[in-house]
């Protein structure tokens, strides 16, 4: 129904159903009568005359509906496989509830936006959990249409969506959504600590140094926060009471990932040397003495795993997200201007533009001071000052900790009478930048006495110093520095002229530690070799550097060439910190050097650590890289990386260069916009600008082609930019300049990208956009190839080969296989992109037929790729591409009069493809139909094509069965299908494939320790080898053997080991003998001969001394149509394992077919079971029939040897069951007991390459069983009629007449024509005994028929007398013929048997029948070789 929207007014939000404001009377078929106030729900709207039908449902509601349907289908699937589904239910419940709210139309705007955010977040989260495709959205939460978005913006949207969803999943998994998720998502973190109180009875002033500490690395990771605490129990600065707050900032994710983080508090008391000293007048005051330390594990707090407990009485730390600027905005109630900031020792992970630092952290490490003339060790105090070149102290240059005022000098902690004090005190030296080159650090060493009077007389006894800047202008290197300790007059030590020219460190001055005191030549100071002093430094500066190269870069205006040559080798952190000062070069003489510098810096910007410097890079590009022709200088080193380029350029990774150039040329932001179709169409009308853009794209694309091939997924952004470059509009103008090498590179690039999965599998929109770009480009390049590279003179096989392989890789990629997707996803792809497989498949077909006589160059190389394409389950694609096979046959047949190469290749590739999941029964039907239809018009080729089709069809049937059972739990089925395949490959003489499946079968046996079967399997491979020095065939080599003799010998060793484990020592001895013969008579390896003979001796001993349990054999019948063809309605004999009971075997069998019904009968089931769609299993124990080897007959053989043959090398099996016929004699039950014996013959002897083989029966054996069954029936009826005179005569009449009357076509006449001929005797000489048995059964049938007819004559009525007389006449002719041909058999007179002992006669005949049955030949179906051929 179409409703005119002009007759109603929309009220409220679009989700509200419109209300009718005017009455409307519907007169037409498609009109609806309405009254004022009616609510109309609009499902669809039509544009114009109905050409385009649009859903009027809100897009978000429509998305929720589609999502619920898809989730519902998955929910059912999860429920079927017993996977927990509660989480899916909860997701769906939430969406259904929110959908109702959306449809209600009653939500205010702000609540609607909030609900929309919740819905989209829940959908995205659920899709990720259920492994569905990622949905990308715009800033308003609407689904982003790839048609309306640029390639790069689409990529960015995917990145952002993935990051948000991963954060959400982490929140759900950890259960700490408010804290940990925000912490993980932020690059910068801070730790807020509020010190409430310090309670410790010291009695003196104290200093509290708080910092963060890594216990595993044993390093402090932050500045100290210093609190000066008074002796009266509160801060010395009373204004700081209840206001002791600090923020440890600059922490990054690496810090959060530390295994442990401690908050430590070091306590230093300030006062006397010893607390026990009571006389304050005589004691030295103001000494810094170590007192104690407090430690708190804050790992869980800083990682956001636990909430903070504000009731704790010591420290209250908790994690804040962001840097100091951010947390001051977000937490103004906690962090204000009075809050102390303690920075990290070193740069943070994310360096912010404008973050200016110039800090030097100095740590007093350790010292070793001799006591000299003192009786005890000194109480060492170190006094440090920052002095200028004149020796004056730089004021306020030392800070002991954050929150403390700067000092003029630093005094260390004093350890009482310790020879090697280890201070480990860290403080900060902050000096104005302009004073750095003039300043140095001076350390004075002084002994402190506990008595004030003595302490005043103590003077500085030694000193050390270190320069802050080196002569080359770089700052002091980070790390440990062992300073030279000078001794001399205290006044002299304060004079800079006496020490400043001396070496400051032992490395610098080359002063041996064990040297003697030497008088300095200047200043009167001497170097003390008995004292040592070590410090460590850490420079955190955005203005100072420790790298000479970077120093040159900062002075590029005077050292232009030098700075650019070393730019790429500078320190990463410092280089980016100085990016803000980068400027363009004034000349064109340094293009390559500029290129190197720019590329390296851009590469650094790509690091997450410097992500905030993107704005600086953008400013540089806008201000200094805006020249129209600037790209020429930049592209020159990329497109021509010649030997003339400096070494630094050649050493660069090409991927980094391409990334940097792409960043320069395709730097996109909201102001500049992206190079898209619309922009290109505009530039088309401005020739010069368009030509510049075209030159850029062509030059850059060639470089990216060479680069991206070596890239991985981490370079997905560059691949995306490449996709933006590949635009058909551009290429229509550039095709004329495309060369062969460009096409080759491009084809390789595309193929690599398709195979590497550049984007995650759930980025379906991004993947499909890339596929669309590739499809357009491939088709465009195909046109170029047709124009330029199709003629014989220009034909390039490798180029066309690359094209075909690329096209097949494209069509077979996983992201285009729609049959694997859900209906919802499949419909989305088809609606937006169509089936790209059909388009590229048809293009491949057209390109193939255009090759003409060059087709033969691609046979058999392209057989595999074309086969892979035709196996795609798309009907039209298959019908279009399968004829290529016939064309290949024709091409090869025309050249070589056969298509053997094509046939071999397709058999080889078909095996791999079907095993990998390709192909189905429909493909088999199409292949047969299409190829035979193509062959109709080619009578000379038709027989070979028909043979090929039969061959491939037979292979496909077996391969499909094999693929079906390989995912099955039944290992037996896998083994059976493997044997079927290797038999097939053996029959068609494909030795390589045959050997391949032999080893697959071996592996299946070894997995369940079927050592005997594994040995027989490898034995088949060994039979293909000769004892010769011929080279091994490349199909399969064992242990990299070179000759057949080596390979066969190694195989024998392996097989013997398997036989030994399987206790089949008789087989192992046979192989040992063969090896011994080779060692003795052929290769003369007597040492190996000795080992082989010893092995034989051990096997002989094992036969006589080790007990080998006899395995049981079980007959297993698989009845019903529910089984695969290789099992359906067949009977197998299984060889059980040692001590395996029938019940255990049967339970294991039933576990493989859980839906099968167990049959409790041992006879053959009827057609109702055999034709049933269900599965039935029959299992019972059978007895092996002993077949004694001829060499053991008529000889006294030990039981250990005979017992082995009772259950091995057997092919016939009996099953006997008691049968009662006739009335039961209560006095003797054995009188009426018959034994029915069934004989099973397997196709091969057991054991063999399987633990089971199918039973088989020849036509002659079937005739023998039928004759035996017929004689049984005659005997049974005679017995019944003798015992009961009241039985009706009809059953006996029908049985006898069916045998003796030729018109009925019964009896044995058909057997005589089939088996008793000279031709059959010549073809089957081994059946002589069986033929004699059949003749004997025919001869015995005559007296039985005579007895039956005699009994029939006594019971027949008058109306049936003519019938009886005819039957007698037929019997006379029959008896005369049989007795003449097969001899006379006689039974006792019926009357005698009736009056005396009839059962004994029947019993004697039964025994005769059994004896005849035993004559069925011991060699029926048995291989003549000593080992079974399976």
């Amino acid at each position: 129904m179409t409703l005119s929207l002009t007759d109603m007014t929309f009220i409220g939000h679009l989700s509200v159903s419109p209300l009718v404001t005017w009455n409307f009377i519907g007169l037409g078929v498609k009109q609806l009568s309405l009254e004022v106030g009616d609510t109309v729900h609009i499902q669809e709207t039509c544009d114009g005359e109905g050409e385009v039908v649009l859903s009027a449902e809100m897009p978000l509601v429509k998305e929720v509906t589609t999502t619920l349907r898809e989730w519902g289908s998955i929910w059912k699937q999860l429920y079927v496989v017993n996977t927990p589904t509660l989480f899916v239910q909860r997701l769906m419940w939430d969406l259904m509830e929110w959908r109702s709210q959306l449809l209600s139309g009653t939500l205010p705007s702000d609540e609607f936006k909030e609900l929309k955010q919740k819905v989209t977040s829940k959908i995205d989260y659920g899709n990720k959990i259920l492994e569905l495709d990622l949905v990308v959205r715009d800033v308003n939460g609407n689904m982003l249409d790839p048609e309306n978005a640029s390639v790069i913006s689409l990529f960015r949207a995917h990145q952002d969506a993935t990051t948000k969803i991963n954060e959400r999943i982490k929140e759900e998994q950890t259960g700490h959504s408010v804290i940990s998720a925000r912490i993980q998502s932020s690059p910068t973190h801070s730790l807020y600590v509020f010190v409430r109180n310090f309670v410790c009875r010291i009695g003196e002033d104290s200093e509290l140094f708080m910092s963060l500490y890594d216990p595993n690395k044993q390093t402090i990771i932050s500045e100290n926060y210093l609190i000066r605490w008074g002796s009266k129990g509160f801060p010395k600065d009373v204004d700081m009471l209840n206001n002791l707050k600090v923020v440890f900032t600059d922490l990054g994710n690496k810090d959060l990932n530390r295994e442990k983080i401690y908050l430590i508090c070091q306590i230093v008391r300030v006062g006397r040397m010893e607390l026990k000293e009571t006389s304050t007048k005589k004691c030295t005051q103001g000494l810094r003495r170590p007192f104690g330390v407090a430690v708190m594990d804050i790992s869980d707090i800083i990682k956001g795993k636990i909430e903070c407990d504000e009731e704790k009485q010591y420290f209250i730390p908790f994690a804040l997200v962001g840097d100091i600027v951010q947390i001051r905005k977000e937490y103004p109630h906690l962090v204000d201007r009075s809050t102390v900031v303690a920075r990290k020792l070193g740069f943070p992970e994310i360096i912010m533009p404008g973050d200016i630092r110039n800090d030097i952290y100095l740590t007093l490490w350790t010292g070793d001071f001799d006591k000299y003339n003192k009786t005890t060790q000194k109480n060492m105090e170190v006094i440090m000052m920052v002095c200028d070149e004149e020796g004056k102290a730089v004021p306020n240059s030392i800070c002991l900790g954050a929150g403390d005022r700067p000092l003029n000098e630093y005094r260390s902690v004093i350890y009482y009478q310790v020879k090697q004090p280890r201070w480990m005190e860290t403080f900060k030296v902050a000096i104005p930048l302009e004073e750095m080159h003039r300043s140095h650090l001076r350390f004075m060493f002084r002994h402190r006495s506990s008595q004030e009077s003595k302490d005043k007389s103590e003077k500085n006894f030694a000193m050390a110093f270190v320069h802050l800047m080196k002569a080359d202008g770089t700052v002091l290197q980070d790390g440990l520095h062992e300073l030279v300790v000078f001794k001399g007059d205290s006044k002299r030590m304060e004079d800079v002229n006496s020490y400043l020219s001396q070496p400051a460190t032992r490395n610098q001055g080359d002063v041996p530690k064990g040297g003697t005191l030497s008088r300095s030549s200047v200043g009167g100071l001497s170097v003390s070799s008995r004292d040592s002093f070590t410090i460590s430094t850490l420079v955190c500066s955005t203005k100072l550097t420790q790298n000479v190269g970077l120093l040159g870069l900062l002075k590029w205006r005077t050292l232009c060439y030098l700075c650019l040559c070393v730019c790429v080798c500078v320190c990463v952190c410092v280089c980016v910190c100085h990016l803000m000062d980068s400027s363009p070069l004034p000349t064109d003489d340094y293009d390559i050097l500029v290129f190197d510098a720019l590329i390296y810096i851009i590469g650094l910007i790509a690091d997450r650590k410097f992500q905030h410097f993107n704005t600086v890079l953008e400013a540089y590009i806008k201000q200094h890289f805006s020249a129209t022709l600037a790209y020429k200088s930049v592209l020159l080193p990329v497109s021509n990386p010649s030997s003339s380029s400096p070494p630094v350029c050649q050493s660069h990774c090409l991927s980094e260069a391409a990334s940097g150039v792409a960043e320069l040329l395709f730097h996109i932001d909201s102001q500049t916009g992206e190079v898209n179709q619309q922009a290109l169409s505009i530039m088309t009308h401005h020739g010069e600008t368009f030509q510049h853009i075209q030159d850029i794209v062509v030059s850059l694309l060639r470089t990216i082609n060479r680069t991206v091939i070596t890239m991985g997924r981490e370079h997905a952004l560059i691949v995306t930019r490449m996709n933006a470059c590949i635009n058909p509009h551009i290429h229509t103008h550039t095709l004329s300049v495309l060369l062969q090498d460009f096409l080759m590179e491009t084809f390789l690039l595309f193929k690599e990208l398709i195979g590497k999965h550049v984007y995650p599998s759930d980025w379906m929109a991004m993947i499909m956009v890339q596929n669309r770009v590739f499809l357009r480009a491939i088709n465009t390049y195909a046109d170029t190839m047709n124009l330029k590279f199709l003629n014989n003179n220009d034909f390039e096989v490798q180029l066309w080969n690359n094209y075909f392989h690329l096209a097949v890789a494209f069509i077979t990629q996983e992201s285009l296989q729609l049959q694997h997707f859900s209906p919802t996803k499949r419909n989305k792809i088809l609606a937006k992109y169509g089936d790209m497989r059909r388009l590229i498949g048809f293009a491949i077909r057209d390109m193939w037929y255009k090759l003409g006589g060059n087709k033969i160059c691609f046979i058999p190389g392209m057989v595999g790729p074309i086969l892979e394409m035709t196996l795609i389950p798309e009907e039209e694609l298959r019908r279009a591409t399968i004829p290529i096979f016939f064309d290949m046959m024709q091409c090869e047949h025309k050249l070589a009069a056969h298509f053997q190469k094509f046939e071999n290749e397709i058999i080889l590739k078909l095996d791999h493809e079907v095993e990998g999941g390709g192909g189905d029964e429909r493909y088999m039907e199409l292949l047969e139909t299409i190829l035979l239809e193509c062959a109709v018009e080619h009578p000379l080729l038709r027989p070979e094509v028909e043979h090929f089709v039969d061959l491939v069809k037979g292979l496909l049937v077996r391969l499909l069965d094999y693929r079906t059972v390989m995912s099955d739990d039944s290992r037996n089925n896998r083994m059976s299908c493997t044997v079927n395949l290797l038999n097939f490959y053996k029959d068609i003489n494909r030795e390589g494939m045959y050997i391949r499946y032999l080893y697959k079968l071996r592996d299946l046996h070894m997995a369940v320790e079927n050592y005997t079967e594994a040995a027989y399997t490898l034995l088949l491979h060994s039979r293909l080898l000769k004892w010769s020095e011929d080279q091994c065939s490349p199909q399969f080599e064992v242990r990299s053997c070179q000759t057949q003799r080596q390979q066969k010998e190694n195989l024998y060793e392996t097989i013997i080991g398997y036989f030994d484990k399987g206790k089949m020592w008789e087989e192992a001895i046979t192989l040992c003998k063969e090896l011994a013969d080779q060692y003795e008579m052929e290769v003369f390896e007597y040492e190996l001969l000795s080992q082989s003979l010893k092995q034989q001796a051990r096997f002989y001993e094992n036969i006589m001394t080790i007990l080998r349990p006899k395995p049981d054999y079980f007959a297993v019948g698989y009845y019903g149509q529910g089984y695969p063809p290789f099992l359906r309605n067949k009977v197998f004999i299984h060889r059980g394992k040692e001590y395996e009971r029938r019940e255990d075997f049967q339970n294991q069998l039933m576990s493989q077919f859980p839906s099968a019904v167990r049959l409790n009968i041992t006879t053959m089931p009827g057609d109702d079971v055999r034709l049933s769609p269900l599965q039935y299993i029959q299992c019972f124990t059978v007895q092996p029939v002993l077949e004694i080897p001829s060499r053991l007959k008529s000889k006294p053989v030990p039981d250990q040897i005979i017992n082995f043959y009772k259950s091995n090398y057997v092919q016939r099996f009996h099953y006997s069951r008691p049968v009662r016929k006739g009335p039961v004699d209560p006095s003797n039950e054995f009188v009426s007991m018959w034994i029915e014996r069934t004989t099973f013959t397997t196709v091969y002897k057991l054991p063999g390459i399987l633990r089971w083989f199918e039973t088989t029966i020849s036509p002659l054996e079937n005739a023998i069983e039928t004759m035996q069954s017929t004689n049984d029936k005659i005997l049974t009826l005679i017995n019944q009629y003798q015992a009961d005179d009241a039985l009706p005569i009809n059953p006996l009449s029908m049985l006898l007449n069916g045998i003796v009357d030729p018109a009925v076509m019964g009896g044995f006449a058909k057997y005589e024509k089939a088996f008793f001929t000279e031709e059959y005797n010549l073809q089957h000489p081994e059946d002589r005994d069986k033929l004699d048995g059949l003749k004997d059964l025919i001869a015995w049938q005559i007296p039985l028929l005579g007895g039956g007819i005699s009994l029939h004559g006594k019971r027949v009525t008058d109306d049936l007398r003519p019938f009886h007389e005819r039957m007698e006449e037929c019997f006379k002719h029959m008896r005369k013929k049989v007795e003449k041909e097969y001899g006379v058999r006689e039974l006792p007179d019926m009357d005698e048997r009736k009056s005396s002992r009839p059962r004994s006669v029947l019993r004697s005949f039964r025994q005769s029948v059994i004896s005849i049955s035993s004559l069925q030949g011991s060699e029926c179906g048995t291989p003549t070789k000593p080992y079974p051929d399976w």
Side-chain angles (χ1 to χ4, degrees), residues 517 847 934 1366:
L517 262 170
M847 293 289 280
C934 292
R1366 171 171 170 73

Side-chain angles (χ1 to χ4, degrees), residues 80-328:
V80 170
V81 297
N82 294 325
T83 302
T85 59
L86 184 58
F87 73 98
V88 184
Q89 290 177 262
R90 290 174 178 172
L91 291 174
M92 295 179 67
W93 287 338
D94 290 341
L95 283 187
M96 285 187 285
E97 180 181 352
W98 295 338
R99 181 177 181 273
S100 300
Q101 296 178 20
L102 291 173
L103 289 173
S104 67
T106 58
L107 295 176
S109 178
D110 55 344
E111 292 187 14
F112 176 80
K113 290 181 179 180
E114 182 179 356
L115 180 60
K116 183 177 182 180
Q117 176 64 30
K118 289 168 61 178
V119 169
T120 55
S121 177
K122 184 69 71 173
I123 291 176
D124 296 342
Y125 170 74
N127 286 340
K128 185 68 174 180
I129 294 297
L130 297 175
E131 299 181 354
L132 299 176
D133 292 335
L134 179 70
V135 178
V136 289
R137 306 182 185 279
D138 56 19
V139 293
N140 298 321
N142 300 320
M143 296 178 64
L144 190 63
D145 186 1
E147 300 292 338
N148 300 326
S150 65
V151 177
I152 296 178
S153 61
L154 186 64
F155 174 80
R156 302 286 190 190
H158 278 81
Q159 280 187 319
D160 296 341
T162 301
T163 302
K164 292 178 181 179
I165 295 173
N166 290 337
E167 293 172 2
R168 172 70 186 278
I169 291 176
K170 289 180 180 179
E171 292 179 6
E172 297 288 340
Q173 291 176 347
T174 58
H176 306 289
S177 58
V178 178
I179 302 176
S180 62
R182 290 199 63 198
I183 289 178
Q184 292 295 332
S185 61
S186 174
T188 308
H189 315 281
S190 301
L191 181 72
Y192 174 79
V193 180
F194 183 11
V195 183
R196 291 184 178 274
N197 197 5
F198 172 66
V199 180
C200 185
R201 296 183 61 183
I202 298 178
E204 294 180 331
D205 293 347
S206 57
E207 299 170 350
L208 310 180
F209 294 90
M210 300 178 63
S211 60
L212 301 181
Y213 180 75
D214 185 338
N216 293 333
K217 295 184 178 181
Q218 298 184 356
T219 57
I220 293 176
I221 60 178
S222 73
E223 293 181 347
N224 288 318
Y225 169 49
L226 175 57
I227 302 175
R228 297 187 182 274
W229 203 262
S231 59
K232 296 183 179 181
F234 49 84
K236 297 193 70 175
D237 186 354
V238 180
D239 295 336
M240 297 300 296
L241 187 63
N242 294 325
N243 197 28
L244 299 173
K245 300 177 294 183
V246 63
V247 173
F248 294 94
T249 188
D250 294 339
L251 303 177
N253 288 329
K254 291 182 179 179
D255 297 312
L256 265 63
N257 292 328
R258 295 176 188 264
E259 185 177 349
K260 289 287 186 180
I261 298 181
Y262 290 166
L263 178 64
I264 62 173
C265 178
Q266 302 177 67
I267 305 169
V268 176
R269 65 177 179 86
V270 182
R272 296 162 291 180
M273 184 71 71
E274 296 288 344
L275 284 174
K276 60 184 179 180
E277 297 172 352
T278 56
S279 178
T280 57
K281 294 182 180 180
K282 298 180 181 180
C283 296
T284 305
Q285 298 292 326
L287 303 178
R288 300 179 70 242
R289 297 278 286 134
F291 182 79
V293 64
V295 180
M296 179 182 181
D297 188 349
I298 60 170
S299 304
D300 291 341
I301 295 176
I302 203 168
K303 295 177 182 180
K305 293 183 178 180
I306 62 174
E307 297 280 358
C308 301
D309 184 4
E310 296 190 5
E311 298 302 321
K312 287 189 175 181
Q313 295 299 312
Y314 299 100
F315 309 110
I316 303 179
F318 57 89
L320 303 177
V321 177
D323 56 10
I324 186 63
V325 177
Q326 182 179 352
I327 62 176
R328 276 177 175 163

Side-chain angles (χ1 to χ4, degrees), residues 1239 1257 1260-1270 1337 1416:
T1239 301
I1257 184 170
L1260 178 57
E1261 291 170 341
N1262 184 51
I1264 293 173
E1265 290 187 2
T1266 303
M1267 285 297 301
Q1268 182 176 323
S1269 176
T1270 302
L1337 286 171
Q1416 292 181 8

Side-chain angles (χ1 to χ4, degrees), residues 302-479:
I302 203 168
K303 295 177 182 180
K305 293 183 178 180
I306 62 174
E307 297 280 358
C308 301
D309 184 4
E310 296 190 5
E311 298 302 321
K312 287 189 175 181
Q313 295 299 312
Y314 299 100
F315 309 110
I316 303 179
F318 57 89
L320 303 177
V321 177
D323 56 10
I324 186 63
V325 177
Q326 182 179 352
I327 62 176
R328 276 177 175 163
K329 291 180 179 178
E330 296 187 7
Y331 306 97
H333 58 293
L334 297 176
V335 182
D336 52 25
R337 293 297 175 184
S338 64
T339 304
V340 177
V341 177
R343 304 202 66 171
K344 181 181 177 181
L345 294 183
F347 283 108
E349 292 183 17
I350 304 298
I351 302 176
M352 302 296 294
D355 184 4
I356 307 300
R357 293 185 68 176
N358 194 37
D359 302 328
I360 300 177
Y361 294 97
L362 188 143
T363 301
L364 245 62
W365 199 264
T366 183
D368 187 353
F369 300 93
D370 192 79
K371 62 183 179 180
Y372 293 101
N373 56 355
K374 290 184 176 291
T375 58
T376 60
Q377 293 296 336
K378 297 178 180 179
N379 304 324
M380 186 60 60
E381 182 183 53
V382 182
I383 305 169
M384 194 208 80
M385 291 186 298
V386 181
C387 301
D388 58 16
E389 56 190 4
E390 297 178 356
K392 297 179 181 179
V394 179
N396 300 325
S397 57
I398 301 173
C399 183
L400 298 184
D404 192 41
R405 64 185 183 278
L407 306 175
N408 297 334
E409 69 175 15
Y410 156 79
R411 291 180 178 268
S412 70
V413 169
I414 301 171
Y415 291 92
Y416 186 72
Q417 295 183 357
V418 175
K419 181 178 183 297
Q420 297 177 337
R422 186 178 175 87
W423 295 283
M424 303 306 293
E425 289 189 79
T426 301
F427 50 92
K428 181 169 65 176
V429 176
I431 307 173
L433 185 63
E434 59 274 9
E435 298 291 333
M436 284 292 298
H437 67 284
R438 302 176 59 250
S439 303
H440 67 276
L441 305 180
R442 185 174 68 192
F443 302 88
M444 293 294 186
F445 305 102
R446 181 180 180 185
H447 169 73
R448 299 304 300 267
S449 174
S450 58
Q451 298 180 10
E452 185 177 9
S453 58
K454 292 183 179 181
D455 187 68
K456 289 181 179 180
S457 63
E458 294 289 345
K459 297 181 180 180
N460 299 333
F461 70 90
M463 65 85 62
F465 78 99
V466 65
H467 295 282
L468 291 179
M469 302 286 287
K470 294 183 180 181
D472 57 11
T474 59
V475 74
L476 185 66
Q477 291 287 337
D478 294 342

Side-chain angles (χ1 to χ4, degrees), residues 43 50 146 152 170 198 347 454 467 484 492 497 691 731 772 774 904 998 1015 1183 1204 1288 1363:
Q43 294 182 337
I152 296 178
K170 289 180 180 179
F198 172 66
F347 283 108
K454 292 183 179 181
H467 295 282
V484 178
R492 287 280 187 182
N497 296 322
Q691 186 62 42
H731 286 295
R772 184 174 58 187
F774 284 1
N904 292 339
L998 278 178
Q1183 299 301 323
F1204 171 78
F1363 168 78

